[in-house]
Structure formats: C-alpha cells, structure tokens
Amino acid sequence: MNFQSYKEFWPFYLSQHSKPATRRWHFAGTSFVFVFFILSIVFLNFWFLLLAPVTAYSIAWISHFFIEGNKPATFGHPLWSLRADFRMYRLMLFGQLGKELNKQNALYEKGKENPHDTPAFRS
C-alpha cells in the first residue's frame, strides 16, 4: 500500500496489530531495545546494541506470523513502522492505547481518515 503521510499510515499500522496478543509481544520486543541500550552503557559493551533490533524484530515478526497472521508492516514501510512501534509502545506504557484504538474505530466507522479500508481494531 502507498501512504502519503505518517498520519495516513498510523491507522493501517494499528490494523496490522489488531490482536491484543500481537501488541503485547511487540511491547515485550520493544522493551528489549531499552534493556540492551542500558546494558551497553552499564557494561560499556556496545555489542549489546546489535542485539536490540535483532531481538525486538524477531519477537515482533514471530507475533505477526503466528498470532496476527499477516506480514509485518516494517517490510514495506520500515521508518514509519519504527516510529509507529515506539508510539504504540508509549501509548501502551501509559495506558492510552485503548483510547487511541477507540478513536481509530470511530474514525473508521465514520469512513474518515481511512482510505485503505482498514478493519476495525480490538482493544
């Protein structure tokens, strides 16, 4: 799919993470990014930084293939996917993802902001 902006991509990204289990696995994977970053500083061993994306993407992609049943959005839109992953992580961390999913569902139901016929989201 072609997107003209990140704003247009965001609802699609959420739709590709419609199952709560997929989002939880992504949260775990993204948490490892921070763990490896801290470990690299504590041990002054920057090889840990190489483990961060390998671990995070492995966990996330496994969740797409075996839980969500789709192809990771990162394959077609790597930078926007990375940005969206950290946004989803932040929303989950602060308990705001449900509110965002409800907002996107409402927009979808109205037929606004969703030119790609993205399915509804589950909170």
Side-chain angles (χ1 to χ4, degrees), residues 4 24 26 33 42 45 55 73 88 96:
Q4 300 304 312
R24 285 192 296 270
H26 272 63
V33 170
V42 168
N45 184 342
T55 303
M88 185 171 70
Q96 296 296 310

Side-chain angles (χ1 to χ4, degrees), residues 22-85:
T22 304
R23 295 191 298 265
R24 285 192 296 270
W25 280 105
H26 272 63
F27 188 87
T30 303
S31 294
F32 275 108
V33 170
F34 298 110
V35 168
F36 286 128
F37 180 75
I38 291 167
L39 288 173
S40 72
I41 292 170
V42 168
F43 293 107
L44 294 175
N45 184 342
F46 297 101
W47 287 104
F48 282 114
L49 293 178
L50 294 177
L51 290 174
V54 171
T55 303
Y57 281 122
S58 296
I59 291 170
W61 291 351
I62 287 169
S63 74
H64 279 284
F65 297 130
F66 295 107
I67 296 170
E68 196 72 41
N70 63 15
K71 184 175 84 170
T74 237
F75 290 177
H77 305 88
L79 295 179
W80 281 346
S81 291
L82 182 61
R83 179 179 171 188
D85 187 58

Side-chain angles (χ1 to χ4, degrees), residues 16-17 19-20 22 26 39 47 73 93 100 102:
Q16 299 303 290
H17 301 82
K19 297 181 180 177
T22 304
H26 272 63
L39 288 173
W47 287 104
L93 185 64
E100 179 67 15
N102 290 336

